[in-house]
Amino acid sequence: MLLGLIFLCSPIGARGLQHFLGVSLAGVEANIIGENLKSQVGGGGQALFNYEFAYKAFFVNVGVGADYQLTQGKLMSFIESKQMTDISGEPMEYQYRFEQYQEKQTILYGMFQILLGTKLSPNFYLQAGTHIRCAINKTYTTQANLFTTGAYSRWAGEFIANVPSYGFYPSDSYHGGGDIRDLRVTIAPIVEFGYLVPLSRKADLRIALFGEYAFPMNNEQSLSIVDYSQVNMDVRTWSQADLQRNLKFHSVLDSSILPSWGNLEIGVKVSFLFDVTNYKVPCHCMNE
């Protein structure tokens, strides 16, 4: 697409096609938006190197760079349970009750952009396009309060709590984290509105507000939010210390508890553009 635009514009180069190189820096407020997740304030920044070509009021900007984000959110309280027998051999529903479940994600993306824009006036401009982002480093940390209970058929609608000898442990803080497994590529439509300040005949400053919303392209989101596979479930020897040591958390971005999600960024961008057009000076020489 870009090569095609350059090819189409090349015949008019002598009549006003301009070329620019530049750098952009942005600060953003970043959020993960998804069902069951209450997003909390996050942040980050972007840095890009740009090439732009312009003809009259229209321009095309392509760039490569990086996008760093710290995002976080809370899940609503939830219960996970399994059928088993207690230490006396009586059937019960063993329940894990999670509260204040919070996850923080730290993600570094490599980024490619292509934007199409137009000048609305000598100083104001509007451009829109797409960011394609590839996750380079992607980690998360989880903290949750958890207590365990037991529900018995003979006490319908009630549960037993805070009896450690039966595995019903009081509320305590549990922690985890690791790498976000499946997140790889996101596609983010972007809109930018800005103001241009000429710095010199060959350099411009742009100050802009922008927003973008990214969609994960290959995130399976198939894992359970909590992994109990390493927890000792032998009622004769289990303990809260073992539960705290061996309970594992998967990222909400990989889990089925978040059936779909998006990544919203709103920010302020500062760009410096330098005119590198090779202007030809007309010859007014006279042949003798």
Side-chain angles (χ1 to χ4, degrees):
M1 178 180 177
L2 176 60
L3 292 177
L5 288 170
I6 295 174
F7 177 78
L8 289 174
C9 290
S10 59
I12 62 174
R15 302 196 302 273
L17 187 64
Q18 294 177 284
H19 303 270
F20 299 87
L21 293 177
V23 61
S24 299
L25 299 173
V28 303
E29 201 279 327
N31 302 95
I32 298 296
I33 309 296
E35 184 182 349
N36 302 324
L37 185 71
K38 182 180 179 182
S39 183
Q40 297 175 296
V41 175
Q46 297 180 357
L48 290 128
F49 294 99
N50 309 294
Y51 164 68
E52 181 173 299
F53 61 92
Y55 179 69
K56 295 185 177 179
F58 301 97
F59 54 90
V60 177
N61 185 293
V62 295
V64 293
D67 184 338
Y68 173 82
Q69 292 185 30
L70 171 63
T71 53
Q72 56 184 336
K74 285 186 176 182
L75 292 176
M76 298 176 61
S77 298
F78 63 95
I79 301 172
E80 295 199 324
S81 61
K82 59 182 64 179
Q83 298 297 323
M84 57 184 302
T85 56
D86 66 17
I87 196 170
S88 66
E90 184 174 358
M92 67 167 177
E93 182 181 279
Y94 190 70
Q95 301 168 329
Y96 300 88
R97 295 176 175 265
F98 292 92
E99 298 177 333
Q100 300 297 315
Y101 193 107
Q102 180 170 328
E103 179 176 302
K104 295 181 180 180
Q105 304 94 18
T106 303
I107 306 174
L108 175 64
Y109 295 97
M111 184 165 62
F112 170 79
Q113 79 170 13
I114 178 165
L115 304 174
L116 307 179
T118 183
K119 289 184 178 180
L120 305 176
S121 72
N123 296 102
F124 287 97
Y125 71 92
L126 179 69
Q127 61 181 353
T130 301
H131 281 167
I132 301 173
R133 306 188 313 212
C134 179
I136 299 171
N137 184 272
K138 43 185 181 174
T139 62
Y140 69 97
T141 58
T142 301
Q143 185 276 326
N145 292 336
L146 165 65
F147 66 101
T148 57
T149 60
Y152 292 81
S153 59
R154 56 191 168 120
W155 294 308
E158 299 182 6
F159 58 84
I160 308 299
N162 200 18
V163 185
S165 60
Y166 275 68
F168 309 145
Y169 308 122
S171 180
D172 207 343
S173 181
Y174 291 72
H175 302 267
D179 292 329
I180 301 170
R181 190 183 75 168
D182 288 331
L183 177 62
R184 298 181 185 89
V185 176
T186 64
I187 303 295
I190 176 174
V191 176
E192 177 180 324
F193 175 74
Y195 185 81
L196 185 146
V197 181
L199 298 178
S200 69
R201 189 173 63 88
K202 302 280 283 185
D204 293 329
L205 168 67
R206 288 179 180 172
I207 303 172
L209 299 175
F210 72 95
E212 60 181 286
Y213 192 86
F215 303 89
M217 299 303 296
N218 54 356
N219 192 237
E220 295 181 1
Q221 296 165 259
S222 58
L223 300 178
S224 60
I225 188 67
V226 185
D227 181 357
Y228 306 93
S229 62
Q230 302 302 312
V231 175
N232 177 20
M233 295 305 298
D234 186 339
V235 296
R236 298 165 299 177
T237 58
W238 61 5
S239 67
Q240 187 173 19
D242 176 85
L243 181 63
Q244 287 185 313
R245 183 169 56 252
N246 293 310
L247 190 71
K248 307 298 181 185
F249 299 101
H250 292 135
S251 172
V252 295
L253 302 187
D254 290 326
S255 76
S256 55
I257 204 169
L258 206 64
S260 62
W261 61 271
N263 177 205
L264 175 65
E265 284 185 296
I266 299 174
V268 177
K269 181 187 294 184
V270 176
S271 303
F272 295 92
L273 287 178
F274 303 93
D275 190 343
V276 294
T277 307
N278 183 19
Y279 294 99
K280 293 184 178 180
V281 179
C283 179
H284 297 289
C285 301
M286 298 179 61
N287 294 327
E288 294 182 358

